Amino acid sequence: MKSAQPQQGLPAIVLGIIVALAILIGLNAFVIINPGQAAVLSILGKAQDGALLEGLHFKPPLISAVDVYDVTVQKFEVPAQSSTKDLQQLSASFAINFRLDPVNVVQIRREQGTLQNVVSKIVAPQTQESFKIAAAKRTIEEAITQREQLKADFDEALVSRLDKYGIIVLDTSVVDLTFSPEFARAVEEKQIAEQRARRAVYVAKEAEQQAQADINRAKGRAEAQRLLAETLKAQGGELVLQKEAIEAWRQGGSQMPKVLILGDSKSKVPFLFNVGDLTKS
């Protein structure tokens, strides 16, 4: 009679195990895809067509797997190098903002696998190729002075190349743009030459202005002398000459004589004589 009790408890244990397995399988038969995600359902290792978008989805338990992808905006900084139209080396670093197209995540899963593979195998190489296309259209000087046009050509090439992989480019920015040391020295030498040329032009203009000022002063003196000569020739000119002589004496700082003796009629300048000096001597 005692051995019958374990036998009666066995079905209950089995039933409990079955219920637990059913619950586990039931929970494993559904997957929740959150906003900003898209997923790929694989059954027995084969990716199924049609991406799983946000919401609740059924999946065959035990024989299926779900790969979830982040389809929000991703940002990666990608370096690139290229030769310009004049065969100068140009290096750049681009910040690429992109996201995966949710509709194409099945294709991405089959061809690329993970998001890291997408960046390393698709985004980085296509960034390099797009930069080569944009840089080859310009000389290195044009690439620097026409930076916006360079970026526009780069964006156009990159968008068209990544679109076929299910990658949507949202924005790009040039983080850094550098050129070879040889070109840097050439730019510096050019700037120095331009500064020297501007200095030479300034000095030449300054000399020209100085020469013109000298000419104008000479013309002014000549005109003053001509007017003075005409004044001296006119009636009363001797008085003008006498006045000029007296003013010159005063400006020289000499003491004015106590006696003023005029010359003869042929003299144009008064003869100044200090009687006091003769007395002292």
Side-chain angles (χ1 to χ4, degrees):
M1 295 297 294
K2 293 182 180 180
S3 61
Q5 292 179 352
Q7 292 179 355
Q8 291 177 354
L10 183 61
I13 295 174
V14 173
L15 179 61
I17 295 174
I18 293 175
V19 171
L21 290 175
I23 294 174
L24 180 63
I25 292 173
L27 293 175
N28 190 255
F30 295 94
V31 61
I32 298 176
I33 306 302
N34 297 315
Q37 295 179 335
V40 178
L41 174 63
S42 299
I43 299 177
L44 296 176
K46 181 180 180 181
Q48 304 299 300
D49 295 332
L52 304 181
L53 304 181
E54 60 181 86
L56 181 65
H57 299 272
F58 171 79
K59 68 182 185 71
L62 303 178
I63 61 172
S64 64
V66 176
D67 296 299
V68 179
Y69 287 84
D70 187 350
V71 293
T72 58
V73 178
Q74 307 292 323
K75 180 180 179 180
F76 289 90
E77 189 170 320
V78 182
Q81 292 182 343
S82 177
S83 296
T84 58
K85 189 176 181 180
D86 53 351
L87 302 180
Q88 294 288 334
Q89 289 298 317
L90 186 64
S91 300
S93 182
F94 292 93
I96 312 296
N97 292 337
F98 69 93
R99 66 181 181 87
L100 303 180
D101 188 349
V103 178
N104 292 325
V105 292
V106 176
Q107 175 188 353
I108 294 172
R109 174 65 181 85
R110 288 171 175 169
E111 296 179 357
Q112 308 304 330
T114 63
L115 179 60
Q116 289 72 18
N117 287 344
V118 171
V119 174
S120 62
K121 295 182 179 180
I122 301 298
V123 177
Q126 295 304 327
T127 298
Q128 177 71 38
E129 291 302 316
S130 300
F131 181 60
K132 288 181 179 180
I133 293 173
K137 295 181 179 180
R138 295 171 176 81
T139 64
I140 189 168
E141 188 171 355
E142 291 172 344
I144 297 172
T145 57
Q146 302 174 8
R147 188 163 175 166
E148 290 299 324
Q149 293 87 337
L150 176 70
K151 180 180 177 299
D153 290 342
F154 168 79
D155 289 349
E156 181 180 356
L158 185 65
V159 169
S160 63
R161 285 172 168 266
L162 294 185
D163 181 67
K164 61 184 179 181
Y165 293 101
I167 302 172
I168 302 173
V169 179
L170 302 176
D171 186 34
T172 67
S173 58
V174 183
V175 178
D176 189 22
L177 190 65
T178 57
F179 36 84
S180 63
E182 292 78 10
F183 181 75
R185 286 193 295 268
V187 170
E188 182 179 2
E189 292 173 358
K190 181 180 179 181
Q191 291 176 344
I192 294 174
E194 290 177 351
Q195 291 175 355
R196 289 176 178 173
R198 287 194 293 268
R199 175 62 182 171
V201 171
Y202 171 77
V203 172
K205 288 184 177 180
E206 188 178 40
E208 182 181 354
Q209 293 174 355
Q210 184 63 38
Q212 187 63 41
D214 293 340
I215 293 173
N216 292 337
R217 285 194 291 269
K219 288 181 179 180
R221 288 193 296 268
E223 181 65 18
Q225 292 174 357
R226 185 185 66 79
L227 293 175
L228 180 60
E230 291 180 356
T231 302
L232 295 176
K233 291 178 182 178
Q235 186 176 2
E238 293 182 0
L239 295 177
V240 174
L241 191 60
Q242 291 172 1
K243 180 177 179 299
E244 291 290 335
I246 294 172
E247 291 296 332
W249 187 284
R250 287 178 176 175
Q251 292 177 3
S254 300
Q255 183 180 0
M256 290 300 297
K258 298 179 180 179
V259 179
L260 178 62
I261 304 175
L262 296 176
D264 56 14
S265 60
K266 295 181 180 180
S267 175
K268 301 298 182 182
V269 182
F271 177 70
L272 302 178
F273 193 80
N274 193 335
V275 180
D277 293 342
L278 293 175
T279 306
K280 292 178 182 179
S281 58

